[in-house]
Amino acid sequence: MPLYRDDAIVLRTHKLGEADRIITLLTREHGKVRAVGRGVRRTSSRFGARLEPFMVVDVQLHTGRNLDSVTQVETVGAYASQISADYGLYTAGAAMLEVADRLVSAEREPAVQQYWLLAGALRALAAHAHAPGLVLDSYLLRALSVAGWAPSFTDCARCGEPGPHHAFAVAQGGAVCTRCRPPGSTAPAPETFTLLAALLAGDWDVADVADRRHRTEAAGLVAAYSQFYLERTLRSLRMIEREA
């Protein structure tokens, strides 16, 4: 089919020539797709503003030999302006887009769960539903779980011994018992383990009332866990503005 339509999230853009852009999209049915948005950098462009990072769109694409071409765009979630106007929202959102781009590495391989996780997280950011750092950490934990790296915050991640336990080892997959605890593991506060489990489960009644020091400790563990399993440093995490 030369033409196809899908819901999509704009992950990133690159300039192409004098007026075009290459748009990297995470689509609902077709996975990651790169397409050319012709003329979108011109002020007269009919849909240039709809093809900015953080936007959720209904897009029609024309299949090309190397890159597809955008032919129509309708807005589904106009999140770019709200997120970009607030530094805390922007940095959290940028980290989400970077992680999604990394997790869905192959093009045109369906990643429906990753699409819905990212769409929901961006919607929560734009609506100020929760503190940006909490939304980011919840997204990271859940996206990694969908990708096959689900952490354990109660039972021992290595031997399965029922918890709660008092140590956390990134390379082992989360909480570890006394017997399995490797050198260099950390000992988070029990409240931090509770917060991490709530973020993974989407239990916002628990997460929203967590103390600031436990949010900070949890954020450090989530960042370390994410970068270990993604096997790369996430540039966007260095800019994160953490809130109480």
Side-chain angles (χ1 to χ4, degrees), residues 140-173:
L140 292 175
L141 291 173
R142 299 173 84 175
L144 287 165
S145 296
V146 168
W149 297 302
S152 175
F153 299 125
T154 304
D155 299 339
C156 179
R158 185 170 183 182
C159 71
E161 179 179 335
H165 299 293
H166 304 292
F168 184 93
V170 169
Q172 304 300 321

Side-chain angles (χ1 to χ4, degrees), residues 136-208:
L136 170 61
D137 291 338
S138 179
Y139 167 75
L140 292 175
L141 291 173
R142 299 173 84 175
L144 287 165
S145 296
V146 168
W149 297 302
S152 175
F153 299 125
T154 304
D155 299 339
C156 179
R158 185 170 183 182
C159 71
E161 179 179 335
H165 299 293
H166 304 292
F168 184 93
V170 169
Q172 304 300 321
V176 285
C177 65
T178 303
R179 293 191 306 275
C180 296
R181 179 177 184 175
S185 57
T186 61
E191 295 88 349
T192 301
F193 273 120
T194 299
L195 172 58
L196 288 167
L199 292 171
L200 179 59
D203 186 348
W204 292 106
D205 289 340
V206 172
D208 284 338

Side-chain angles (χ1 to χ4, degrees), residues 71-91:
T71 58
Q72 292 182 14
V73 184
E74 298 295 337
T75 301
V76 175
Y79 305 139
S81 58
Q82 297 100 312
I83 292 175
S84 298
D86 182 285
Y87 183 78
L89 299 182
Y90 176 80
T91 54

